[in-house]
Amino acid sequence: MRYELMLPYQIRNAIERRWPVVLPLGVLEYHGEHMAVGMDTLAVVKLLEILEGEMDLVILPAFYYGAASYAVEPPEGRGSLHVAADKLFPFAQELFGGLLRIGFRNIHFFIHHQAENFTVGMPTDLAFKFAARQAIFAFLERERGEGWWGNEKMADYYAEQAEGDDPFNWIKGHPLMTPEIIRSYPFDHAGEGETSLMMALCPAAVDMEHFSPEAWYSRSAREASPELGRRGRDFILAHMRKVLGSR
Ligand SMILES: [Zn+2]
């Protein structure tokens, strides 16, 4: 369900049943002359829309205003929109804190932008990961008071850690493509991999009539096809089902 369309009784039901609540996180960034600037975020949105048809899921309105950076091209006339990570952090902290107060305990975000470095982290995902941690600490201290962790009730903390009951599992971030997927599917910027994925997921975001072979990073897009994109789509859907605990 899309969060903005939910009625309060549906929200209470989603909390009680511990439905995953998912934030599509991304950027607006130049992706060559042939592809829409929303690619990285649209990929997450479109894949979640597919999953919504097969599992209980709350999809939050997408956040497109991440730290795109101007590493690929300067923004003038090209469309990249960069918001620095230190500005994202307070926003994300409020967002996660608010979701915890509503009652959600199974919150996730997926990001594709620069996610080849997800383990170490890049500015947008690091800001949201850091904010998630801070929001959880702040929430627990507010709800349980200082010393909550040292309390006898927490004696099974280490045993519970792998399960959902560890508060630090309440918010989890994931790359859209795992290292395993990247071994079987081309990971690039506006190249064959991303262009194929958009052809499969959101054809309106690609127009090969405008393709230009000038930039090295998008040159392989001429090999793109919806068939390849559908392969990528299925790899990613399998990974998303797994981390969201699809029945
Ligand atoms: Zn991209």
Side-chain angles (χ1 to χ4, degrees):
M1 305 189 82
R2 282 167 48 191
Y3 185 67
E4 67 273 31
L5 295 176
M6 290 174 79
L7 289 130
Y9 83 91
Q10 294 171 313
I11 291 171
R12 289 189 290 270
N13 183 49
I15 292 168
E16 194 165 318
R17 290 164 186 256
R18 225 185 161 93
W19 287 11
V21 176
V22 188
L23 171 72
L25 175 60
V27 295
L28 297 163
E29 185 185 26
Y30 181 77
H31 271 77
E33 294 297 314
H34 67 285
M35 199 149 60
V37 292
M39 187 280 159
D40 289 8
T41 323
L42 281 167
V44 181
V45 169
K46 295 293 173 187
L47 288 156
L48 284 170
E49 281 174 10
I50 297 172
L51 282 184
E52 190 194 1
E54 55 180 74
M55 68 184 288
D56 295 326
L57 195 63
V58 176
I59 305 175
L60 294 167
F63 184 82
Y64 278 85
Y65 302 102
S69 93
Y70 301 138
V72 174
E73 298 286 350
E76 287 79 7
R78 293 187 181 88
S80 293
L81 184 56
H82 174 75
V83 178
D86 57 325
K87 305 295 188 297
L88 300 175
F89 168 69
F91 165 81
Q93 200 177 1
E94 295 290 314
L95 175 74
F96 289 136
L99 292 169
L100 291 172
R101 281 202 60 184
I102 291 164
F104 295 125
R105 299 288 182 270
N106 189 10
I107 302 163
H108 300 258
F109 65 86
F110 282 90
I111 182 164
H112 176 56
H113 177 65
Q114 299 174 341
E116 74 276 22
N117 283 311
F118 189 82
T119 309
V120 176
M122 286 299 240
T124 307
D125 52 273
L126 283 173
F128 277 73
K129 284 179 197 171
F130 182 27
R133 288 306 192 228
Q134 293 281 78
I136 292 168
F137 271 108
F139 178 80
L140 288 166
E141 280 195 21
R142 182 179 185 272
E143 295 289 301
R144 303 182 184 178
E146 292 176 1
W148 64 269
W149 192 87
N151 191 290
E152 194 59 34
K153 280 188 215 141
M154 293 299 291
D156 58 354
Y157 173 77
Y158 292 111
E160 293 287 325
Q161 224 176 356
E163 305 301 321
D165 284 342
D166 171 7
F168 296 103
N169 286 332
W170 287 347
I171 308 173
K172 290 177 176 169
H174 314 277
L176 193 66
M177 293 190 187
T178 60
E180 297 77 65
I181 295 175
I182 295 171
R183 275 195 287 277
S184 332
Y185 187 85
F187 190 100
D188 53 39
H189 178 77
E192 183 186 15
E194 285 198 344
T195 305
S196 297
L197 204 54
M198 272 298 93
M199 285 172 165
L201 293 172
C202 185
V206 187
D207 185 352
M208 290 309 285
E209 301 251 315
H210 290 268
F211 170 73
S212 153
E214 244 169 80
W216 71 266
Y217 53 82
S218 54
R219 211 166 284 149
S220 68
R222 71 180 123 212
E223 315 295 336
S225 70
E227 292 72 35
L228 178 66
R230 285 193 283 272
R231 274 187 51 211
R233 175 197 66 193
D234 293 343
F235 285 138
I236 300 168
L237 284 173
H239 150 61
M240 293 175 98
R241 283 186 197 107
K242 203 163 126 194
V243 297
L244 296 176
S246 176
R247 290 165 297 174

